[in-house]
Amino acid sequence: MQQTQTLQHAPVLVFDLGGVLVDWNGIDPLMALSQGRLSREQARQFWLHTPEVALLDTGRATPREFAALMADKLQLGISSEAMLQALDDWLQGPFAGAHTLLQQLGQHYRLAVLSNNNALHWGKIEREFDVLQHFEACFASHLIGLRKPDAAAYRYVQEALQVAAGHIVFFDDNIECVQAARQAGWQAFHTVGLPAVQQALQAQGLLST
């Protein structure tokens, strides 16, 4: 690690949560609920490009409203209440080692979150996960009204952090969000799971081996 860096000149590390630092899997369960009608890639794309998800992520639909819309749109054959419970269950705790990693990084760098999120999951993260304490700023899509991979989300975060685009290092599990960050001038890495995050950090000299 470059110990000579100062916080003023060090990069700002910005993390997605689900699939990067936190165990969230809405893909495999969605495939199962669809009874084979959705492939893995179709299930992944559902969370990025479905209008109903955009409403949820930007705070324009409540989790309960979204659960009803989702069950109906995909014809899952379950009640909105069961769908709401499933959504909650798909979000587990931080990956093992996430707290230790963030504590270590926080000694040298500014840390922030940029996450497509919603009131249901964000509330659970705040109540149960004890992970947000590590971050200087948290940009949850349902609170800022902007979501990845829309360019406006990256501009919003950069302006709020008051840092040059090239000084932001970003980690996300969706390649589309990584590509959009790169287009915004950020240093961005496609990382699925905590080991991938650690490997990317080490490759950039931001984490000691």
Side-chain angles (χ1 to χ4, degrees):
M1 182 177 295
Q2 299 176 359
Q3 298 291 348
T4 58
Q5 286 182 320
T6 65
L7 286 178
Q8 182 179 359
H9 300 293
V12 180
L13 309 185
V14 180
F15 296 88
D16 182 25
L17 288 180
V20 176
L21 297 174
V22 170
D23 186 359
W24 174 86
N25 183 0
I27 296 175
D28 293 314
L30 184 57
M31 292 170 59
L33 282 174
S34 74
Q35 298 182 346
R37 287 183 286 112
L38 293 178
S39 66
R40 173 173 295 277
E41 180 60 14
Q42 286 172 326
R44 189 185 73 84
Q45 291 288 337
F46 173 86
W47 297 108
L48 282 175
H49 300 302
T50 304
E52 289 82 358
V53 176
L55 291 175
L56 176 72
D57 283 351
T58 55
R60 292 178 289 162
T62 67
R64 188 173 300 276
E65 291 169 339
F66 171 73
L69 290 169
M70 182 179 177
D72 180 64
K73 183 181 183 71
L74 295 178
Q75 298 181 341
L76 298 177
I78 63 175
S79 69
S80 59
E81 286 296 327
M83 188 69 253
L84 188 66
Q85 184 60 55
L87 289 170
D88 184 72
D89 292 342
W90 295 350
L91 179 67
Q92 302 298 312
F95 288 128
H99 284 295
T100 300
L101 175 64
L102 292 171
Q103 287 173 346
Q104 182 177 356
L105 294 173
Q107 297 176 24
H108 304 280
Y109 308 104
R110 297 170 63 192
L111 307 181
V113 164
L114 172 57
S115 173
N116 286 354
N117 226 294
N118 59 78
L120 177 70
H121 287 163
W122 196 253
K124 186 173 184 177
I125 291 169
E126 289 182 317
R127 291 190 311 272
E128 302 179 18
F129 291 3
D130 195 30
V131 69
L132 300 183
Q133 61 173 317
H134 298 291
F135 299 100
E136 168 189 323
C138 295
F139 304 97
S141 62
H142 72 294
L143 297 178
I144 65 175
L146 301 167
R147 71 193 293 262
K148 303 170 295 180
D150 296 341
Y154 302 92
R155 288 196 299 268
Y156 181 96
V157 170
Q158 182 182 336
E159 291 172 3
L161 293 174
Q162 297 184 331
V163 64
H167 290 170
I168 298 176
V169 182
F170 178 61
F171 306 89
D172 199 290
D173 63 326
N174 283 308
I175 188 61
E176 294 87 348
C177 299
V178 172
Q179 291 169 338
R182 290 172 180 167
Q183 291 174 356
W186 296 12
Q187 302 175 62
F189 300 91
H190 185 213
T191 55
V192 181
L194 195 68
V197 175
Q198 294 169 318
Q199 290 170 10
L201 287 164
Q202 290 167 356
Q204 297 303 308
L206 299 172
L207 181 68
S208 58
T209 56

